[in-house]
Amino acid sequence: MAKGKDVRVTVILECTSCVRKSVNRISTGISRYTTQKNRHNTPNRLELKKFCPYCYKHTIHGEIKK
């Protein structure tokens, strides 16, 4: 029998520096990654350092709502 809520959930990570700059005129969008996290181990919002192709550098990507 399956339980009510899944422990592993899919989350979307979005570049925080692109969002703050509200995307400079040269770039065409905001960098987003999808990943999974375990609710029991990380109940708070996930933040990872990933490469942003629009900023051309490694930046912090934070979890957003779907």
Side-chain angles (χ1 to χ4, degrees):
M1 294 281 171
K3 293 188 179 180
K5 290 190 175 184
D6 293 333
V7 176
R8 286 229 161 247
V9 290
T10 305
V11 294
I12 301 170
L13 302 175
E14 187 176 74
C15 179
T16 54
S17 63
C18 285
V19 174
R20 271 191 240 130
K21 292 179 193 172
S22 59
V23 185
N24 42 354
R25 290 176 178 83
I26 300 167
S27 67
T28 58
I30 296 172
S31 172
R32 288 191 175 163
Y33 286 94
T34 57
T35 186
Q36 289 185 339
K37 77 169 189 176
N38 188 324
R39 274 197 196 144
H40 293 284
N41 295 340
T42 51
N44 49 356
R45 294 219 174 218
L46 189 63
E47 285 190 342
L48 295 174
K49 203 165 188 182
K50 297 283 219 173
F51 180 77
C52 178
Y54 303 107
C55 299
Y56 300 108
K57 58 185 175 181
H58 284 85
T59 57
I60 296 175
H61 285 63
E63 182 181 336
I64 61 168
K65 290 186 180 179
K66 288 185 184 180

